[in-house]
Amino acid sequence: QVQLVESGGGLVQPGGSLRLSCAASGFTFSIYIMRWYRQAPGKERELVAAISSVGGSTNYADSVKGRFTISRDDAKKRVYLQMNSLKPEDTAVYYCNAHLSYSPPGTLDYWGQGTQVTVSS
């Protein structure tokens, strides 16, 4: 059974930090691109950060560059999102996503249930 379980969300003051964690099971974690998305109330879900399956190359939304860091531990089947210098506009539900593209052309996507991050004084 495929599972992605996020943890680490909560309430933090502006300028603070949080570290999100996503524990994976039920699939071959190491071959999947891992991503963090977020969705704020009334807004569409947006990609925040991604890390490749080989080499660990990363990319980030412009809004979080320099503040957030994505990393993965294939041995533990976990992906992390270190969030620093948090702003009120970072408030959202954060989702972990596992993505695989394969041949013949197709994709697989797994999602976690989300964890709430609230940035407020």
Side-chain angles (χ1 to χ4, degrees), residues 76-109:
K76 294 183 178 179
K77 297 185 179 181
R78 285 183 177 263
V79 62
Y80 305 98
L81 186 67
Q82 177 67 44
M83 305 186 295
N84 299 328
S85 302
L86 283 161
K87 305 175 182 180
E89 51 263 44
D90 294 318
T91 296
V93 178
Y94 284 71
Y95 297 91
C96 177
N97 164 259
H99 176 80
L100 179 68
S101 296
Y102 58 88
S103 297
T107 60
L108 278 173
D109 280 277

Side-chain angles (χ1 to χ4, degrees), residues 41-53:
K43 294 188 177 181
E44 293 187 355
R45 190 171 296 190
E46 65 169 343
L47 177 63
V48 175
I51 186 165
S52 68
S53 57

